[in-house]
Amino acid sequence: MALDGGAAPEILSNVVLSQIEEHAAFGGVVPEIAARAHVEALDGIVEAALADSSVSLDEVEKMLAAIHHVPTGQALACERAFLAALDGSCRTPIAGHATVAGEKLSFAGLIISPDGSQSHEVRLEGEAADAAEIGLNAARTVRARAGAEFFDGWA
């Protein structure tokens, strides 16, 4: 949508990805296939939407800047870095929560074995500007504590 000086919002593009064919053979949605298909198709969908709308990515970033909350973005960067470094998904028992107060970020992470018999926790703090690095360091720390065998059979 675009706002034009107080005018009503206007939809500039409407690009839809259908996964019906990909899931038909399974009789329903398979989460792993759906997640992979989303990631694989995302760049193409964004490019198509930008082309349809005749809006550049820079213009979209300017529109979003008005609603971007920097501390929330920093917390998300930390949490996502933690999950990505541990290959986290909706099907893995991994949790991460970051909070930002002023210029400081606090992070708590947890991994649990699939059967629930083991868990490992990590807590780190640092500069909010280093959010992604804090998340990555937290993942390295908890992975070292758990040991390589902890992650066997997660796939």
Side-chain angles (χ1 to χ4, degrees):
M1 286 195 213
L3 294 176
D4 184 14
E10 176 186 355
I11 296 173
L12 301 177
S13 179
N14 185 16
V15 180
V16 178
L17 168 68
S18 173
Q19 294 186 16
I20 292 173
E21 289 182 26
E22 292 178 81
H23 297 281
F26 305 102
V29 174
V30 179
E32 290 85 2
I33 293 173
R36 190 174 315 115
H38 285 314
V39 170
E40 291 171 354
L42 190 58
D43 286 345
I45 291 170
V46 170
E47 289 171 7
L50 292 172
D52 286 354
S53 66
S54 299
V55 174
S56 72
L57 192 53
D58 287 340
E59 290 172 296
V60 172
E61 288 177 357
K62 287 177 187 172
M63 288 183 229
L64 294 176
I67 61 169
H68 177 66
H69 185 249
V70 172
T72 300
Q74 291 168 323
L76 285 171
C78 181
E79 295 165 0
R80 288 178 178 166
F82 179 73
L83 292 172
L86 296 172
D87 293 326
S89 73
C90 294
R91 316 242 332 137
T92 53
I94 300 172
H97 182 250
T99 57
V100 176
E103 300 298 318
K104 297 292 181 189
L105 181 140
S106 298
F107 177 78
L110 174 69
I111 57 173
I112 304 172
S113 61
D115 66 2
S117 64
Q118 299 178 56
S119 66
H120 299 276
E121 210 175 320
V122 62
R123 293 182 182 276
L124 292 179
E125 293 184 351
E127 296 295 319
D130 299 328
E133 189 63 30
I134 293 168
L136 185 58
N137 287 338
R140 288 178 184 142
T141 300
V142 79
R143 185 181 288 279
R145 286 181 189 162
E149 64 280 351
F150 183 86
F151 296 93
D152 289 347
W154 276 38

